[in-house]
Amino acid sequence: MVPGITRRGVLLAGALLAAPAIARGQGTRALRFGHVQPPEGEINRGILRTAELLKERSGGRLRIDNFPSSQLGGERDMLSQVSSGTLDLCITGPGVLGSWVRPLSILESPFLTRDFAQLQRMFEHPAVQSMRRQLAEQRSMRVLAPWYYGTRQLTTRDRPVRLPEDLKGLKIRVPEAPLFLDMMRTLGAAPTPMSLGEVYLSLQTGVIDGQENPLPTIAANKFMEVQKYVNLTGHILVPLVPVLSERSWTALPPADRDLLVAALDEGGALGGQLTRDSEQRLRGEFEARGAVFVDSDRAAFQRALGPMYARYEEVWGRGVHAALQAL
């Protein structure tokens, strides 16, 4: 069993094995799409748009059955299901995918990129293309074009964080991904990995002191009800990537693959634009409800992460980080 896979995920995967990955009935094919995002969030709205377009353009032959809010387990659970072919699609970050093919974590490394256009170019770089092929060939998971998920900021309950040393001793939730664990340890915090669906209660009860996510995700999950400070670290510009089971991909005729990829691209464009719109307005909304925004020293955070970049040079490939930054 892959480390971090829960009993719940194993049971869900077993239940799904009773049915083929692509359901066939009444002339339709249903693709199951599982994810951790809330129903009202920008990413889920992009997925709903994808489903709408796919159904419309296929004349009802293809449909997406959407499972938001961790209904099928956490991100690692669902990736395991996609790998085995018992789930067709999920959407996750490269940091989590790095648990399967470690070099892919580079695409979610802190302070890597200036903007999303540069990040999109990175996905077509030969080194990254090689990582994507490795994931498909060794883990039966096909990574498609990235969606914009926002820029990650750090929230805390009792302490503003202007400098890395302000994090010392704080328990900070991170995704279940080695890169995020290493990032927080390097900065002096105590990283606490957990699924997104567990974060609100953990913040409310004091199990953790803070978390880091883009502002729209913070809003959709109502984290500011139980946090005071929004520390503008801007440490990661986040891509989410649709991940498709190779079994599901090969079962689709080429024309249907094209329909699916096009619908995902357009759904991602909508989700990304909604995310940008939300980022523009949310600061005012949060401040009106009593949140305190802190201008963190981003350059100090980047310097503090120097040892982590050095450790990961062998993981990512020598010179790859610098080559991607130079695009």
Side-chain angles (χ1 to χ4, degrees), residues 289-302:
R289 296 173 189 167
V292 177
F293 278 72
V294 178
D295 290 320
S296 302
D297 187 338
R298 298 179 73 246
F301 277 84
Q302 189 168 7

Side-chain angles (χ1 to χ4, degrees), residues 143-298:
V143 170
L144 303 178
W147 294 24
Y148 178 64
Y149 186 52
T151 300
R152 298 183 90 95
Q153 315 290 357
L154 173 73
T155 72
T156 44
R157 183 183 60 211
D158 299 322
R159 186 192 304 176
V161 177
R162 294 183 176 85
L163 296 167
E165 46 263 40
D166 296 329
L167 276 169
K168 187 173 182 180
L170 292 184
K171 298 185 293 293
I172 304 296
R173 178 268 173 179
V174 293
E176 299 167 290
L179 179 69
F180 282 80
L181 292 165
D182 288 346
M183 175 181 69
M184 280 299 163
R185 286 195 193 103
T186 303
L187 292 171
T192 306
M194 64 178 65
S195 177
L196 191 65
E198 303 174 62
V199 176
Y200 183 95
L201 184 60
S202 297
L203 291 169
Q204 187 180 48
T205 57
V207 171
I208 53 176
D209 301 300
Q211 61 83 50
E212 47 82 57
N213 262 301
L215 295 183
T217 305
I218 293 167
N221 290 277
K222 307 184 190 307
F223 293 154
M224 293 317 296
E225 292 180 356
V226 288
Q227 298 277 269
K228 178 177 180 180
Y229 296 102
V230 180
N231 308 283
L232 296 173
T233 50
H235 49 285
I236 302 174
L237 191 150
V238 189
L240 285 186
V241 289
V243 184
L244 180 68
S245 166
E246 276 292 298
R247 180 190 293 183
S248 303
W249 178 259
T250 56
L252 286 171
D256 287 351
R257 295 176 193 171
D258 292 343
L259 288 177
L260 176 60
V261 169
L264 284 165
D265 286 346
E266 292 187 45
L270 173 65
Q273 187 56 55
L274 291 171
T275 298
R276 292 182 187 90
D277 294 344
S278 293
E279 287 180 316
Q280 289 294 317
R281 73 168 190 274
L282 281 171
R283 176 165 183 164
E285 292 183 12
F286 284 176
E287 287 178 324
R289 296 173 189 167
V292 177
F293 278 72
V294 178
D295 290 320
S296 302
D297 187 338
R298 298 179 73 246

Side-chain angles (χ1 to χ4, degrees), residues 56-184:
E56 174 188 312
R57 292 172 181 174
S58 69
R61 268 189 318 101
L62 299 174
R63 77 168 195 265
I64 286 175
D65 292 342
N66 183 28
F67 298 91
S69 299
S70 304
Q71 291 179 43
L72 301 183
E75 287 177 296
R76 291 170 64 89
D77 296 328
M78 287 184 281
L79 281 169
S80 181
Q81 294 167 37
V82 169
S83 179
S84 68
T86 58
L87 179 65
D88 300 294
L89 281 156
C90 68
I91 190 164
T92 191
V96 180
L97 286 170
S99 298
W100 277 264
V101 173
R102 290 190 71 197
L104 274 169
S105 63
I106 194 172
L107 294 166
E108 209 166 356
S109 62
F111 304 106
L112 173 68
T113 182
R114 295 179 300 277
D115 54 39
F116 189 64
Q118 182 187 11
L119 190 59
Q120 289 174 305
R121 293 194 295 275
M122 290 178 183
F123 270 76
E124 303 308 317
H125 188 276
V128 176
Q129 292 277 42
S130 175
M131 298 171 198
R132 294 169 67 178
R133 283 194 300 272
Q134 186 179 348
L135 188 71
E137 292 166 3
Q138 297 181 6
R139 301 295 184 175
S140 298
M141 293 188 280
R142 178 174 294 264
V143 170
L144 303 178
W147 294 24
Y148 178 64
Y149 186 52
T151 300
R152 298 183 90 95
Q153 315 290 357
L154 173 73
T155 72
T156 44
R157 183 183 60 211
D158 299 322
R159 186 192 304 176
V161 177
R162 294 183 176 85
L163 296 167
E165 46 263 40
D166 296 329
L167 276 169
K168 187 173 182 180
L170 292 184
K171 298 185 293 293
I172 304 296
R173 178 268 173 179
V174 293
E176 299 167 290
L179 179 69
F180 282 80
L181 292 165
D182 288 346
M183 175 181 69
M184 280 299 163

Side-chain angles (χ1 to χ4, degrees), residues 18-50:
I22 300 180
R24 294 174 176 81
Q26 306 301 317
T28 66
R29 294 184 179 184
L31 301 172
R32 299 183 185 89
F33 197 147
H35 57 99
V36 302
Q37 303 300 319
E40 64 274 19
E42 290 79 6
I43 295 301
N44 191 60
R45 289 165 69 184
I47 292 169
L48 293 175
R49 178 60 175 157
T50 298

